[in-house]
């Protein structure tokens, strides 16, 4: 079913969540068994309040996350999505992930709804740096301000440019594929519904059920994302699709 839809669709959009990254080795936040938020209170460690009032704990937590991203990298599924974009099978990726693995694998049209750990910027003057500063224990800007990752903290709005791009892509989609998201975080979880309301077929691939499974045209719970993409790629990716 999904194979046929990928072949026939003219505007496929892929939406990725933590399940896409966990297959690279990165820990999840909300999984029932070993999610990061089972161990830490996000309001105390990943919020604007923490940045302003508990900066040492904030920096320690995010340095650990930056080091985690440096330790791992894209898996085969990321590379397949990048190839599909080149071949015209997919038009864009909307991601909740902050690891930058889609771009590292070669994807170009990516909306990072929650920002990226690949860069940091000064909380005071806004100057941008590589996240290598965090790796090297350099946490302060030349102006004296605190460097923070380019991610959306609890209490902050989504980046407007990424949000607008994602909205436009969801509205254009005739096939919308969710890969590895619990679809529990608003407003990001509204994009699959927007696509569905605009006539797209909705496919949800996630190891655990989501609240939006009942709206999907196809739900896949029994396959890892990488395995599914490898199988699909063997079936669809020989000829170059129309663009």
């Amino acid at each position: 079913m999904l194979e046929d839809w990928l072949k026939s669709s003219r505007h496929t959009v892929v939406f990725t969540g933590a399940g896409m990254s966990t297959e690279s080795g990165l820990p999840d936040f909300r999984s029932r068994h070993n999610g990061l938020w089972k161990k830490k209170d996000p309001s105390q460690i990943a919020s604007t309040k923490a940045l302003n009032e508990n900066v040492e704990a904030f920096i320690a937590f995010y340095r650990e996350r930056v080091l985690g991203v440096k330790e791992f990298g894209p898996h085969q599924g990321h590379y397949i999505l990048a190839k599909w974009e080149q071949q015209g099978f997919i038009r864009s990726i909307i991601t909740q992930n902050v690891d930058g693995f889609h771009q590292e694998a070669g994807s170009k049209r990516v909306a990072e709804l929650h920002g990226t750990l690949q860069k940091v910027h000064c909380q005071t003057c806004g100057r941008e740096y590589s996240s290598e500063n965090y790796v090297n224990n350099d946490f302060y800007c030349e102006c004296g301000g605190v460097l923070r990752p380019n991610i959306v903290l609890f209490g902050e709005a989504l980046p407007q440019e990424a949000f607008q791009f994602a909205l436009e892509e969801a509205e254009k989609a005739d096939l919308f594929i969710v890969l590895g998201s619990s679809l529990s975080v608003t407003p990001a979880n509204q994009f699959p519904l927007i696509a569905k309301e605009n006539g797209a077929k909705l496919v949800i691939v996630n190891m655990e059920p989501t609240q939006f499974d009942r709206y999907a045209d196809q739900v896949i719970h029994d396959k890892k994302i990488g395995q599914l993409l490898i199988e699909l790629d063997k079936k669809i990716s020989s000829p170059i699709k129309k663009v």
Side-chain angles (χ1 to χ4, degrees):
M1 194 182 327
L2 179 51
E3 172 193 349
D4 295 330
W5 290 343
L6 273 166
K7 287 179 178 179
S8 62
S9 90
R10 300 198 64 83
H11 203 106
T12 296
V13 177
V14 174
F15 180 98
T16 63
M20 189 78 192
S21 293
T22 55
E23 291 189 24
S24 286
L26 291 177
D28 192 0
F29 278 84
R30 292 177 172 80
S31 64
R32 284 181 283 182
H33 304 298
N34 59 355
L36 287 176
W37 294 151
K38 298 294 181 184
K39 305 171 186 175
K40 299 179 184 291
D41 179 354
S43 66
Q44 298 300 314
I45 205 72
S47 64
T48 52
K49 184 175 187 292
L51 175 59
N52 293 323
E53 299 178 9
N54 196 10
V55 67
E56 289 185 5
F58 176 92
I59 288 173
F61 175 72
Y62 277 108
R63 182 173 189 270
E64 184 179 343
R65 291 202 63 202
V66 167
L67 290 174
V69 167
K70 301 292 185 184
E71 181 181 351
F72 300 101
H75 56 74
Q76 192 167 352
H78 289 97
Y79 289 103
I80 288 171
L81 291 180
K83 182 174 74 168
W84 285 359
E85 182 185 328
Q86 289 181 325
Q87 294 179 321
F89 285 103
I90 68 173
R91 294 293 184 178
S92 59
I93 295 173
I94 303 169
T95 187
Q96 296 173 285
N97 299 331
V98 295
D99 47 52
F101 289 167
H102 285 300
Q103 290 93 329
E104 193 174 330
S107 294
K108 304 297 185 186
R109 303 186 77 238
V110 183
E112 293 179 306
L113 293 178
H114 297 154
T116 179
L117 286 171
Q118 296 289 347
K119 296 178 181 178
V120 300
H121 69 272
C122 176
Q123 178 72 357
T124 302
C125 74
R127 181 175 176 179
E128 195 169 81
Y129 298 81
S130 163
S131 60
E132 289 296 325
N133 284 61
Y134 260 49
V135 174
N136 298 326
N137 290 301
D138 184 1
F139 308 119
Y140 293 91
C141 177
E142 292 178 3
C143 77
V146 177
L147 297 182
R148 50 160 290 182
N150 284 15
I151 59 168
V152 178
L153 301 175
F154 286 87
E156 292 183 325
L158 299 188
Q160 187 58 38
E161 185 176 344
F163 182 88
Q164 188 61 37
F165 176 78
L167 178 60
E168 292 171 1
E169 288 298 295
E171 291 174 342
K172 293 176 186 174
D174 58 4
L175 176 61
F176 195 98
I177 305 171
V178 176
L179 298 177
S181 175
S182 63
L183 297 177
S184 59
V185 178
T186 58
N189 65 357
Q190 297 305 299
F191 293 113
L193 296 183
I194 291 169
K196 181 70 176 175
E197 289 170 357
N198 280 271
K201 287 185 173 65
L202 175 60
V203 178
I204 297 177
V205 182
N206 198 54
M207 294 305 287
E208 299 176 356
T210 80
Q211 61 181 321
F212 296 144
D213 284 1
R214 64 185 183 274
Y215 302 119
D217 297 279
Q218 184 178 7
V219 176
I220 300 172
H221 289 314
D222 58 351
K223 281 190 179 179
K224 288 191 173 182
I225 296 165
Q227 177 191 356
L228 175 66
L229 294 178
I230 290 169
E231 291 175 2
L232 286 169
D233 187 53
K234 289 177 180 178
K235 295 175 181 177
I236 73 170
S237 199
S238 296
I240 299 294
K241 193 188 174 187
K242 79 277 182 180
V243 292

